Amino acid sequence: MKRKLISAIGIAGMVVSIAACGGEGGSGGSDKGADAKELTVWLTVDAQNNWPQLVKAADAAVQKKHPGLKINHEYYGWPDKNAKLDAVLATDKAPDVVEMGNTEMLGYMVKGAFAPLDAGEFDSSDAWLDGLKASVTYEGKTYGVPYYAGGRVANWRKDVAASVGVKTPPKTYKELTAALDKIQKKQGGKFSAWYQPTRDWYAAMSFVYDAGGAIATESGGQWRASLSSPESLKGLKEFKNVVDSYMHGDKTKDESDRYIVYGQGKSAMIFAAAWEGATAEDPKNDKTGKLKGNLENFVMPGPSGKNMPVFLGGSDLAVPVKSDAQALAAEWINAFTGSSGQKGLMAKGNLPNNKTDLATLKNDPKTAVPATAAESNWFVPMAPGWGQVEKAQILQTMLQSIGTGKKSVEAAAKDADAAIDKVINTK
């Protein structure tokens, strides 16, 4: 699930206040807060509404080891969580555990807001999914623990595919484009065989990584944009081919309302977060009355011949550096995200934080597609200035220029590289 990077972390006084505390976290090697009598845990409403029993189980496990420990829980919606966190981090009232979207972690790690953790203290840390592990790692240190994951899959209408003689999901990119060519020809120019919003950089960068490219690469401690590399250009050109061939909607749009557009019945396929197909077929969004039971997820094949690498969204748990109960916070996180917690999260339809549990989901037809798709994943460059790249929407601007034909792929990539290089190494 996508989490928008919040740039409000630089509020007045916060950085100075955090820096004054130093960077030593009890869970990273000392026992700071091991005898604390109270623990405050901030989670989003997802946990409160969907798996409260897992929260209670983690509480019980920690309180069994520490009789008399009081555990307080506060729940926040994604839109307002970070503003509240920024404000409290400037005081001495920081929570001990806080849930972060994985794309939100970097800005806080760069600013020194979170205590370093010893990854070896947490269950399955040696098997964390690569994309999630990257999201909690900065300059060689671990500052969070992956909580759960959300991947991306392809989804199409079985009836539209069947109308051109295709009865099973494609296994290769060649099979996919052959089917889409038939669909596009049959449905005509006002129909999108593949509704692919041009500004959807999560999808576009999957093409880049599939081709062996990258948004940026690091060498000697410095990051440089690499969208103009031959590999990245190959991926961007194929993305443009998809948009030109199959996307006949507004080519200035992003993906925020994709499930709504899909529900209007003017497209046959999307490449999206795993929940979007199910949301499109909800009666509130299905304007055709034909989508329920007629949509099918499948693993997105890549032009490379392998499964398309997907952006891995999800949540992490971190310990603010100003917490007075860092050791207990680490214990609670492990109780919540450990083996039993992961089983509970999977039962609720989430992808686990590690490859071992993910492999078990491949054996269940209900979860095989998202689990298989998540095995090949990528994450954003963990560079100090990445937040500024996102804030400036450099990738979205590049993709819109490519999709609308305003610039050639080469010119748009060159301009994006220049813009990225100006900020990517800046804290």
Side-chain angles (χ1 to χ4, degrees), residues 56-132:
K56 291 179 180 178
D59 289 353
V62 175
Q63 288 171 327
K64 184 177 181 179
K65 293 177 61 179
H66 303 277
L69 175 67
K70 180 181 180 182
I71 303 179
N72 307 304
H73 293 282
E74 296 184 29
Y75 295 93
Y76 294 92
W78 286 106
D80 58 359
K81 172 184 66 70
N82 286 43
K84 294 179 184 297
L85 179 61
D86 293 343
V88 78
L89 287 179
T91 73
D92 59 356
K93 302 294 184 182
D96 303 298
V97 177
V98 61
E99 177 181 351
M100 305 293 296
N102 62 349
T103 60
E104 298 172 343
M105 284 291 294
L106 180 57
Y108 289 82
M109 293 190 293
V110 169
K111 297 297 185 183
F114 297 143
L117 304 173
D118 179 357
E121 294 183 1
F122 299 94
D123 292 357
S124 302
S125 59
D126 58 343
W128 284 343
L129 298 179
D130 295 339
L132 294 186

Side-chain angles (χ1 to χ4, degrees), residues 169-188:
K171 300 296 185 183
T172 68
Y173 193 72
K174 184 177 180 180
E175 290 177 359
L176 173 63
T177 55
L180 293 175
D181 287 342
K182 293 177 183 178
I183 291 170
Q184 194 63 66
K185 182 177 180 180
K186 180 179 177 64
Q187 296 292 336

Side-chain angles (χ1 to χ4, degrees), residues 62-397:
V62 175
Q63 288 171 327
K64 184 177 181 179
K65 293 177 61 179
H66 303 277
L69 175 67
K70 180 181 180 182
I71 303 179
N72 307 304
H73 293 282
E74 296 184 29
Y75 295 93
Y76 294 92
W78 286 106
D80 58 359
K81 172 184 66 70
N82 286 43
K84 294 179 184 297
L85 179 61
D86 293 343
V88 78
L89 287 179
T91 73
D92 59 356
K93 302 294 184 182
D96 303 298
V97 177
V98 61
E99 177 181 351
M100 305 293 296
N102 62 349
T103 60
E104 298 172 343
M105 284 291 294
L106 180 57
Y108 289 82
M109 293 190 293
V110 169
K111 297 297 185 183
F114 297 143
L117 304 173
D118 179 357
E121 294 183 1
F122 299 94
D123 292 357
S124 302
S125 59
D126 58 343
W128 284 343
L129 298 179
D130 295 339
L132 294 186
K133 181 178 180 179
S135 76
V136 300
T137 307
Y138 181 66
E139 294 186 339
K141 293 184 178 181
T142 300
Y143 290 95
V145 176
Y147 172 10
Y148 65 91
R152 281 166 169 72
V153 297
N155 180 286
W156 74 359
R157 288 181 56 173
K158 292 187 288 186
D159 60 339
V160 177
S163 74
V164 295
V166 179
K167 303 295 180 65
T168 58
K171 300 296 185 183
T172 68
Y173 193 72
K174 184 177 180 180
E175 290 177 359
L176 173 63
T177 55
L180 293 175
D181 287 342
K182 293 177 183 178
I183 291 170
Q184 194 63 66
K185 182 177 180 180
K186 180 179 177 64
Q187 296 292 336
K190 294 184 178 180
F191 187 88
S192 293
W194 176 348
Y195 180 76
Q196 179 51 63
T198 305
R199 291 172 65 88
D200 176 12
W201 64 275
Y202 298 99
M205 293 305 106
S206 287
F207 281 88
V208 167
Y209 283 92
D210 179 71
I215 300 170
T217 58
E218 185 266 340
S219 178
Q222 289 291 301
W223 288 84
R224 286 190 62 83
S226 56
L227 293 168
S228 295
S229 73
E231 296 84 1
S232 294
L233 288 175
K234 181 180 180 180
L236 288 171
K237 287 178 179 179
E238 185 54 37
F239 180 75
K240 176 175 171 55
N241 182 53
V242 166
V243 172
D244 288 348
S245 300
Y246 309 122
M247 168 62 177
H248 299 290
D250 183 349
K251 294 185 179 180
T252 67
K253 287 177 66 73
D254 65 17
E255 71 281 9
S256 59
D257 66 346
R258 173 171 42 211
Y259 67 93
I260 295 175
V261 175
Y262 195 33
Q264 293 171 350
K266 296 180 180 179
S267 52
M269 173 187 148
I270 57 175
F271 173 39
W275 56 266
E276 291 187 54
T279 306
E281 71 176 22
D282 186 296
K284 293 182 294 186
N285 299 313
D286 178 11
K287 304 305 179 184
T288 71
K290 301 177 181 179
L291 300 185
K292 188 68 175 178
N294 193 33
L295 297 183
E296 184 173 28
N297 282 337
F298 59 93
V299 178
M300 180 68 186
S304 68
K306 301 178 181 179
N307 291 342
M308 184 77 88
V310 298
F311 175 81
L312 204 58
S315 281
D316 301 322
L317 296 174
V319 180
V321 73
K322 298 181 75 172
S323 164
D324 292 325
Q326 291 178 18
L328 283 179
E331 285 190 40
W332 190 91
I333 290 173
N334 193 43
F336 189 51
T337 64
S339 300
S340 60
Q342 290 302 308
K343 288 180 173 60
L345 288 166
M346 288 189 292
K348 293 293 184 178
N350 300 292
L351 294 178
N353 67 3
N354 67 89
K355 298 172 186 176
T356 304
D357 285 328
L358 187 70
T360 66
L361 296 181
K362 293 173 64 177
N363 300 321
D364 185 341
K366 295 179 181 179
T367 55
V369 168
T372 301
E375 285 184 314
S376 177
N377 55 78
W378 63 272
F379 198 64
V380 299
M382 295 302 285
W386 177 252
Q388 296 183 59
V389 175
E390 282 207 40
K391 184 179 179 181
Q393 299 193 351
I394 295 171
L395 295 180
Q396 293 94 322
T397 299

